[in-house]
Amino acid sequence: MLINYKDADGKIIELEVSDEVGTFYLSSVEEEKKNERRETRRHTSLESFTYEDKRFFDDGTDLLNDLIASETVSRAMSHLTERQQYLIRKTCLEGWKYTELAALEGVDESAIRHAVNRAKNKLKKML
């Protein structure tokens, strides 16, 4: 069986292999394509979408400010330390990524992640 193989440099090489090896190679290539399709369907980032008309998504209310002003959330947030409040605002409300905050503060990303998780768990208990 002849198969075409593309090497790392992009050159296409024609190889003669046994039917068993060729069948295995072709099935593994097909399986890899299926996995890539599955992964791209599952992990499409919202940033990749563009919205043509804001009116379909914006009714004029500011949900973020309404949530922050909510008495229940405000009371629960008051039980957090200033640091925990800061982390919750940055990551949950303003959408900062852990890596961005870690770079800003000069600490490891895992330190931010753990601190945010502790703050979230404390908030869950309060709510």
Side-chain angles (χ1 to χ4, degrees), residues 42-107:
R42 198 176 316 148
H43 301 297
T44 302
S45 173
L46 290 178
E47 287 96 23
S48 66
F49 293 100
T50 55
Y51 302 111
E52 304 222 356
D53 196 340
K54 186 178 176 182
R55 66 185 166 172
F56 291 112
F57 303 100
D58 186 11
D59 64 357
T61 60
D62 188 349
L63 295 177
L64 180 60
N65 281 333
D66 291 348
L67 177 64
I68 294 169
S70 149
E71 184 180 335
T72 305
V73 173
S74 294
R75 191 175 323 121
M77 288 285 283
S78 71
H79 291 289
L80 301 178
T81 66
E82 285 185 35
R83 170 82 174 146
Q84 290 173 325
Q85 289 178 25
Y86 166 80
L87 291 172
I88 291 294
R89 277 193 200 98
K90 290 294 184 190
T91 58
C92 298
L93 302 175
E94 296 177 17
W96 283 56
K97 295 181 175 141
Y98 296 155
T99 52
E100 295 172 333
L101 271 176
L104 178 71
E105 296 182 6
V107 297

